[in-house]
Amino acid sequence: MTDKVITRFAPSPTGFLHIGNARTALFNWALAKSLGGEMLLRIEDTDKDRSTDEAIAAIITGMDWLGLDYAGEPIFQSKNIDRHTEIANQLLSEGKAYKCYATAEELTQMREKAKADGRPMVYDRRWRDRPESDAPANTPFVVRIKAPTSGEIVVHDKVQGDVHFKAENLDDFVILRSDGSPTYLLAVVVDDHDMGVTHILRGDDHLVNSARQITIYNALDWHIPTMAHTPLIHGPDGAKLSKRHGALGVEDYRRMGYLPETIRNYFARLGWAHGDEEIFSSEQFIEWFSYGGLNKGASRIDFAKMENVNAHYIKASEDARLFDLMVSLAEEIEDETALKGLTKHAETVREALPALKTRAKTILELNKAAEFIFAARPLAFEDKALAATQGENLDILRNVQPVLQGLNDWSHDGIDAALRAFAEQNDLKFGKVAQPIRAAVTAKNASPGCFDVLLLLGKEESLSRLSETTAV
Ligand code: GLU
């Protein structure tokens, strides 16, 4: 019988839920599900100075928003510290780890020497073989693991292939600090083992850690999980995604009006491929997921592409859901005008959604596009819309007003017939009439077409707007 597949997502709660980490979660989620297993969430909160409750909340709500479910409750690494310490002491008593009394000055010397020799700093193992009787009294010590001194450590990576590390470059690293606290390298191995993790998939910035952690697995004679490291996400300029590129946290994407299915689809595609498929559902992603599809190189985020994916999912969304998202986004970003307008004109906005959603790339754009429905008069015109209501167009608008005023049948067909007759009488192309009307009643450069907006606004509001625009 093979073990049930268990993956884990193990973020450190020191800030927002970074989009790169969210993608690691997404891959772990798909990996687990594609193999009939489950993903666990472990919050690595041992660094009490840097971990915050807000960051923990951001991780949990971010996962929830993305629809990445995990088995059971989140596991807090800080609760396992006694167990980490117990394992460190076990390694110590088995002679697989040792107390190191090297002072800060000694370590600085080692570092400077390494620098002068142009090689990475490796602790020179000066306490590895010294007898306990050499230990200075009442002096703090760290516990170091006895790492192999020669040969290689090989990480059998499912994405990169075998990655070889020379033992001489990996030194006897610390597993317990001088204050008795376990290090990250130890804590992760112990937790992964205790949680029954069978597959580790994380960013390739952890590759060297994996090599070190293999030393711990071997010392404990524990089974090494299957490992995979994915390249990081880069910004459009090819540099590692950073603050400079904006949009680092999952919540930034939500606040920009992206849908969770866009994030799942686009960010999966950014580091993984199944043929040429660009748009796929999460079910397809899970079905198609395999290590072989993961990229070996870093991927560049392309916001234009991502917007197109979002436009696709907006178009495919139910109007009722979109309306709710518009309201909750207005709430989240404290856009009082939109919030009031959407609530007051809920019915009209819902009616407008089939037309609005074909043009919007984000929920934010959808809110902007709906503004003309609840905009306060006098309307604040966008430049091109204003231009479209001036000059000869102003005459057209003035002349068409009585025609619309006298129209009793305020329906698509009624308006169509009246405007066509007007255009004909004045020897104008239909668009020459429709376009200024659309601009005059919406004040927007882009909006649904003339009929749609007149019908949505109704006769009274449309005519009030028209007369206000032409009153100048
Ligand atoms: N807590 C680590 C991080 O946020 C990840 C640990 C791991 O995946 O092993 O980078």
Side-chain angles (χ1 to χ4, degrees):
M1 202 191 88
T2 49
D3 284 342
K4 180 170 184 166
V5 166
I6 307 275
T7 67
R8 54 33 163 211
F9 173 48
S12 306
T14 53
F16 38 66
L17 175 52
H18 189 285
I19 195 70
N21 283 347
R23 194 183 59 163
T24 300
L26 177 66
F27 287 152
N28 274 288
W29 178 79
L31 173 64
K33 294 210 183 265
S34 72
L35 298 173
E38 48 195 34
M39 174 173 74
L40 304 175
L41 172 62
R42 181 174 72 232
I43 311 266
E44 304 210 316
D45 60 340
T46 47
D47 185 344
K48 285 293 174 199
D49 292 339
R50 294 180 62 221
S51 302
T52 66
D53 288 345
E54 291 77 46
I56 293 172
I59 291 166
I60 292 171
T61 50
M63 297 282 284
D64 210 35
W65 179 69
L66 286 171
L68 302 180
D69 57 302
Y70 43 89
E73 294 298 313
I75 293 153
F76 289 88
Q77 187 161 60
S78 59
K79 299 229 166 87
N80 303 336
I81 290 179
D82 288 350
R83 168 76 177 149
H84 307 149
T85 314
E86 176 195 323
I87 294 295
N89 287 325
Q90 179 190 321
L91 288 168
L92 201 53
S93 64
E94 289 172 355
K96 292 172 176 165
Y98 59 96
K99 294 177 184 171
C100 164
Y101 295 88
T103 61
E105 295 77 59
E106 288 177 284
L107 292 170
T108 307
Q109 272 169 16
M110 272 179 237
R111 200 165 293 119
E112 277 165 6
K113 171 112 184 30
K115 208 169 155 194
D117 296 350
R119 54 175 174 80
M121 149 79 179
V122 278
Y123 166 71
D124 65 6
R125 300 184 156 110
R126 61 183 60 185
W127 280 93
R128 181 167 166 136
D129 298 314
R130 281 175 78 166
E132 189 66 33
S133 53
D134 278 3
N138 302 322
T139 308
F141 60 87
V142 296
V143 175
R144 291 181 182 269
I145 192 148
K146 287 186 181 168
T149 52
S150 61
E152 281 184 341
I153 293 177
V154 182
V155 180
H156 298 296
D157 187 295
K158 288 288 185 187
V159 179
Q160 318 287 341
D162 282 356
V163 186
H164 299 254
F165 291 88
K166 285 205 171 93
E168 64 197 54
N169 292 332
L170 289 175
D171 75 7
D172 291 349
F173 56 89
V174 176
I175 56 173
L176 271 192
R177 299 187 191 89
S178 57
D179 63 0
S181 64
T183 58
Y184 156 78
L185 286 165
L186 175 71
V188 166
V189 171
V190 174
D191 286 350
D192 283 340
H193 174 263
D194 289 357
M195 286 158 63
V197 171
T198 57
H199 293 63
I200 294 176
L201 187 160
R202 54 190 171 188
D204 63 8
D205 47 336
H206 284 288
L207 243 174
V208 187
N209 290 338
S210 291
R212 294 201 162 98
Q213 287 169 345
I214 284 173
T215 298
I216 307 181
Y217 279 103
N218 288 338
L220 290 160
D221 211 9
W222 284 350
H223 177 73
I224 301 168
T226 305
M227 290 184 167
H229 296 84
T230 53
L232 302 180
I233 302 174
H234 286 181
D237 57 359
K240 195 177 148 186
L241 199 61
S242 72
K243 273 211 181 98
R244 196 162 46 81
H245 299 106
L248 282 184
V250 163
E251 66 269 29
D252 293 328
Y253 290 87
R254 191 179 60 227
R255 291 165 74 95
M256 286 191 287
Y258 284 97
L259 301 180
E261 55 265 47
T262 301
I263 306 291
R264 288 200 301 269
N265 184 153
Y266 180 73
F267 280 94
R269 178 65 194 83
L270 204 52
W272 170 90
H274 179 76
D276 295 332
E277 306 280 352
E278 294 291 343
I279 301 279
F280 42 82
S281 68
S282 294
E283 289 72 30
Q284 288 170 314
F285 178 41
I286 290 167
E287 192 189 320
W288 296 335
F289 188 86
S290 74
Y291 287 123
L294 289 166
N295 295 350
K296 284 193 168 60
S299 33
R300 282 186 196 201
I301 196 164
D302 176 340
F303 287 103
K305 245 192 190 170
M306 188 172 169
E307 279 191 343
N308 288 337
V309 175
N310 206 43
H312 167 89
Y313 284 113
I314 287 182
K315 228 178 277 167
S317 284
E318 302 251 337
D319 297 342
R321 176 194 179 210
L322 288 176
F323 181 76
D324 291 346
L325 289 172
M326 290 164 78
V327 172
S328 54
L329 183 62
E331 248 163 12
E332 185 174 354
I333 63 172
E334 294 176 15
D335 181 346
E336 292 303 325
T337 316
L339 192 56
K340 261 199 215 128
L342 290 171
T343 319
K344 193 159 166 228
H345 299 269
E347 212 175 304
T348 317
V349 175
R350 280 204 192 95
E351 249 175 76
L353 268 167
L356 295 179
K357 74 180 179 187
T358 58
R359 292 176 177 79
K361 293 201 166 87
T362 63
I363 300 293
L364 210 54
E365 276 188 25
L366 213 44
N367 277 357
K368 273 235 143 290
E371 259 173 16
F372 81 90
I373 294 169
F374 48 78
R377 296 205 312 264
L379 301 178
F381 276 77
E382 290 178 359
D383 289 352
K384 279 192 213 144
L386 186 63
T389 62
Q390 288 172 343
E392 53 175 0
N393 286 356
L394 184 57
D395 296 332
I396 297 175
L397 288 171
R398 283 193 174 134
N399 296 336
V400 82
Q401 257 186 89
V403 175
L404 291 173
Q405 186 74 57
L407 183 65
N408 291 323
D409 177 14
W410 197 264
S411 65
H412 184 284
D413 291 350
I415 298 171
D416 187 44
L419 293 185
R420 275 184 206 285
F422 174 84
E424 224 163 89
Q425 277 157 23
N426 292 280
D427 201 18
L428 292 166
K429 285 218 172 94
F430 181 73
K432 273 299 275 177
V433 181
Q435 182 54 13
I437 296 179
R438 189 205 62 75
V441 300
T442 63
K444 294 256 174 213
N445 299 340
S447 75
C450 176
F451 298 119
D452 282 333
V453 296
L454 290 177
L455 287 170
L456 285 165
L457 292 169
K459 182 172 175 181
E460 200 188 319
E461 178 68 19
S462 299
L463 282 162
S464 307
R465 291 188 183 192
L466 267 178
S467 66
E468 224 170 59
T469 311
T470 53
V472 216

